[in-house]
Amino acid sequence: MTGRVLSIRGVGRRFVTDGTVPAALSGIDLSCPEGSFTALVGPSGCGKSTLLRLVAGLDHPDEGEIRFGNAGASWLTPDELRRKGALGMAFQDAALMPWRDVRANIALPLQVLRRDWRKDSQQIEALLALVGLEAMGGARPAQLSGGMRQRVALARALVTHPEILLLDEPFGALDFVLRREMVRELQRLWLESGATAVMVTHGIDEAVFLADRVVIMARGPGRIAAVVEADIPRPRPASFFLDPAFHALCDRVERLLADAS
Ligand SMILES: Nc1ncnc2c1ncn2[C@@H]1O[C@H](COP(=O)(O)OP(=O)(O)OP(=O)(O)O)[C@@H](O)[C@H]1O
Ligand SMILES: [Mg+2]
């Protein structure tokens, strides 16, 4: 670790609705150390996706600022990070291009950065193997199961070797068994990548399994209500799901979430 941090300071965002301007987010303060994993949970509409979009530079705050860096070096804005390919994103519905095969979908961020991705073909094959889809590189998204599509979306989020990995309900509509499998796969991919990860989820169990800390948000306006630290060594084995420490953390998050809802 070089001691950099993803710093979110006093961030607020308002949207105009029916002539009124309610705050979707207000006074968000969060510091994510480099290489850490932060999970965001909270009731629907509390601004989780809005916050992730601000970190991704897809939208801009009305107040406050978001930066990545450290005191000794220069700080980068989300726009600067995105332009240099330092942001990897996987959002709710895998959103793959149906007419492109799996390889070309994974390569998309490289093309957006105007890199010649054919030169990176070895890396794309390595990513396919990493997400267990080495035999599926030539398949179209329609030929894949939901879980396979999510894995393609993860590989695509990792293809630029991002320093920051942003995941918005990456396992959306997957069944229980597949979710558990994907959660462990994500832990492995993230540990290998060394990225600073922020993941939005409605699954308390996957938040606790993956995260160094779980941030519980409340709405009206969207704000941070509580933070639960999960100081458990990595890699966390599948048996962590059965561990009393895991269940104690889940109970705490669930109670705080009920208070915040
Ligand atoms: N572009 C927009 N224009 C107007 N209002 C918006 C816009 N984006 C978000 N909002 C509003 O901001 C609030 C937060 O929305 P957001 O999508 O961030 O919630 P969320 O926590 O991700 O919810 P969910 O868990 O259902 O995905 C909502 O009230 C939503 O209607
Ligand atoms: Mg959302």
Side-chain angles (χ1 to χ4, degrees), residues 166-222:
L166 303 174
L167 307 167
D168 195 348
E169 300 185 42
F171 313 130
L174 302 186
D175 70 57
F176 178 81
V177 174
L178 203 53
R179 277 179 96 105
R180 288 261 156 126
E181 210 180 290
M182 287 295 298
V183 161
R184 291 171 51 211
E185 212 154 294
L186 174 58
Q187 175 179 237
R188 181 174 62 81
L189 293 171
W190 160 71
L191 282 172
E192 260 172 61
S193 76
T196 307
V198 184
M199 177 181 78
V200 170
T201 179
H202 285 287
I204 294 175
D205 57 340
E206 59 199 49
V208 167
F209 186 88
L210 283 164
D212 296 307
R213 73 230 157 106
V214 181
V215 173
I216 295 122
M217 291 177 65
R219 68 191 148 190

Side-chain angles (χ1 to χ4, degrees), residues 103-114:
R103 257 185 213 96
N105 264 291
I106 294 174
L108 190 67
L110 297 174
Q111 264 181 305
V112 171
L113 292 169
R114 301 190 197 295

Side-chain angles (χ1 to χ4, degrees), residues 79-261:
D79 286 320
E80 289 164 335
L81 289 163
R82 208 185 59 244
R83 278 199 294 272
K84 73 183 196 99
L87 284 171
M89 291 169 257
F91 286 167
Q92 205 152 1
D93 45 2
L96 304 178
M97 307 274 185
W99 59 89
R100 288 176 158 234
D101 67 16
V102 165
R103 257 185 213 96
N105 264 291
I106 294 174
L108 190 67
L110 297 174
Q111 264 181 305
V112 171
L113 292 169
R114 301 190 197 295
R115 288 190 204 155
D116 181 1
W117 65 275
R118 278 154 302 199
K119 281 195 209 140
D120 293 303
S121 64
Q122 253 181 329
Q123 191 216 338
I124 290 177
E125 296 311 310
L127 269 174
L128 278 170
L130 206 61
V131 296
L133 291 175
E134 48 275 78
M136 304 302 280
R140 310 268 159 193
Q143 296 170 278
L144 305 179
S145 72
M148 287 172 170
R149 280 200 284 271
Q150 301 278 10
R151 277 184 270 169
V152 175
L154 270 183
R156 183 179 57 183
L158 292 167
V159 74
T160 60
H161 299 293
E163 291 168 76
I164 297 178
L165 186 60
L166 303 174
L167 307 167
D168 195 348
E169 300 185 42
F171 313 130
L174 302 186
D175 70 57
F176 178 81
V177 174
L178 203 53
R179 277 179 96 105
R180 288 261 156 126
E181 210 180 290
M182 287 295 298
V183 161
R184 291 171 51 211
E185 212 154 294
L186 174 58
Q187 175 179 237
R188 181 174 62 81
L189 293 171
W190 160 71
L191 282 172
E192 260 172 61
S193 76
T196 307
V198 184
M199 177 181 78
V200 170
T201 179
H202 285 287
I204 294 175
D205 57 340
E206 59 199 49
V208 167
F209 186 88
L210 283 164
D212 296 307
R213 73 230 157 106
V214 181
V215 173
I216 295 122
M217 291 177 65
R219 68 191 148 190
R223 61 191 187 278
I224 294 175
V227 176
V228 171
E229 305 283 338
D231 189 13
I232 311 282
R234 300 192 186 274
R236 298 171 183 171
S239 60
F240 181 48
F241 280 121
L242 306 171
D243 197 309
F246 171 79
H247 290 121
L249 284 166
C250 288
D251 283 349
R252 248 176 86 200
V253 172
E254 190 170 345
R255 247 173 294 158
L256 289 163
L257 195 53
D259 293 344
S261 298

